[in-house]
Each structure stands twice: as C-alpha cells, then as structure tokens.
Amino acid sequence: DSGVTQTPKHLITATGQRVTLRCSPRSGDLSVYWYQQSLDQGLQFLIQYYNGEERAKGNILERFSAQQFPDLHSELNLSSLELGDSALYFCASSVARGGGVSGGYTFGSGTRLTVV
Amino acid sequence: AQSVTQLGSHVSVSEGALVLLRCNYSSSVPPYLFWYVQYPNQGLQLLLKYTTGATLVKGINGFEAEFKKSETSFHLTKPSAHMSDAAEYFCAASPAGGTSYGKLTFGQGTILTVHP
C-alpha cells in the first residue's frame, strides 16, 4: 500500500456519460497530480493541485476537470465520455513544499476506466 | 519543451545478466530525473532519483543510474537480473524550477523480460 488511495479501481460506463474519480493523497502530502495512461499515448500529465490550488496544467481536455478539497483529497471529473477516454487514470502525491517534485511522486494503484 | 526518450520499448535478458535500460532527456537545463517501475495491474513505484549532488544514484532492488550531463542521459543498470525484475520501467524528468515545477514528463516505457 503506497498510501495514495484511488477509488473506484474499475469503472465501466457508456459514451456520453460523466464519471468522477477520487484520490486521497498520502498523509502529509499537499500536492496531487493526475495522469492518464493509455497504450497509444503512454503516461500523460493532466493536472496538478497544490494545497487546494491549481498549480500546473498538462494535456487535459476541456471535458475533464479536477479540484482539490480542503481535506486535500482530489476528484477528477470526466464528462461527455468517448471511447478514446478509456485508460488507466493515476493519481500521485508528493510532499515537497512549493509543489515541487524533488522527492518523487507516490502513485496510487489507478482507476481503470472503460468506456463502451 | 522537455522530452524523455527511452531507447528500446522491449529489452530481454537472461537471469543473472546485466540489465541496461537507456534514457535520454531533452532540456535546456538539467532537470530532476527519476526511474519508476510498474508491475502488472499496479501503480508506479519510485526506483531512484537524481536531483543534485552525486551523479551515480543507487535505488531499491539493486538498481542504480548515472546522470551524464554531457550525454543528457540517465541510464538504469542492475548487475544481475532476477526474475522478479520483469516489469515495465519508466524514465521521467521534471524541471528543477519554473512554471512547470512539479510536472513529470515520462518516457514511453521499456518492458523488461527476464528469461530463466
């Protein structure tokens, strides 16, 4: 157990639907990162939050949004789902002050999303 | 923009043989560098990292990597492969500062197969 908790582990939904993925960071970590892993795109950075504020944005679609709550857990919302959104979505957290990553990330075990 | 290239999407070695996984980065300034391992159906686990200081870094499970600025490389090695090393390995880089501070850019991954 890495200390980063992601729920649900698996999610199957239909095209056009909306889903919410949840992440609880490791205790004491202020930064949360979301990544998408697919066979064709590899690991793609989506977005980072640090202590409740958006810190960096990557290749995140407009149909996707995220937020970090006061208790530091984060949610990734995916809407108007398409077949191509099927992927493994990882959350990671880090302890570094200022949102940096010098200590490396701790990854959760991911949510496997299948859009049918 | 920063990029990470892993040479060889598949590497196969015999048990007891040297493991060498290659990684090159493209960055205007030396970034922080990481190697992660991913076992099937699991999240990514940090093997080792380079931030500053000694260019030869040792990680878990007997792995080590050497940062060579002149070659913009951060190759991962292990003197003697074990069957349990079979997994996918990712090299990653993060800016040491600036507006992308905290964002990891991953290589495409190298699948390591270990033969008896």
Side-chain angles (χ1 to χ4, degrees), chain B residues 32-52:
Chain B
Y32 295 154
L33 295 162
F34 307 83
W35 276 98
Y36 283 85
V37 60
Q38 185 178 29
Y39 297 100
N41 300 314
Q42 294 187 27
L44 283 76
Q45 180 183 6
L46 180 65
L47 275 178
L48 49 79
K49 61 181 170 72
Y50 169 79
T51 53
T52 59

Side-chain angles (χ1 to χ4, degrees), chain B residues 83-101:
Chain B
M83 296 295 289
S84 61
D85 295 326
E88 189 164 14
Y89 292 79
F90 291 91
C91 181
S94 170
T99 56
S100 293
Y101 189 43

Side-chain angles (χ1 to χ4, degrees), chain B residues 15-82:
Chain B
E15 192 173 19
L18 170 72
V19 175
L20 171 60
L21 305 182
R22 300 177 187 274
C23 172
N24 288 87
Y25 67 89
S26 171
S27 175
S28 56
V29 295
Y32 295 154
L33 295 162
F34 307 83
W35 276 98
Y36 283 85
V37 60
Q38 185 178 29
Y39 297 100
N41 300 314
Q42 294 187 27
L44 283 76
Q45 180 183 6
L46 180 65
L47 275 178
L48 49 79
K49 61 181 170 72
Y50 169 79
T51 53
T52 59
T55 57
L56 180 64
V57 292
K58 295 185 184 300
I60 62 173
N61 302 337
F63 284 94
E64 61 182 37
E66 186 171 11
F67 168 62
K68 292 187 177 181
K69 183 179 176 181
S70 61
E71 299 178 7
T72 61
S73 69
F74 190 57
H75 301 332
L76 181 71
T77 60
K78 182 174 180 178
S80 176
H82 191 273

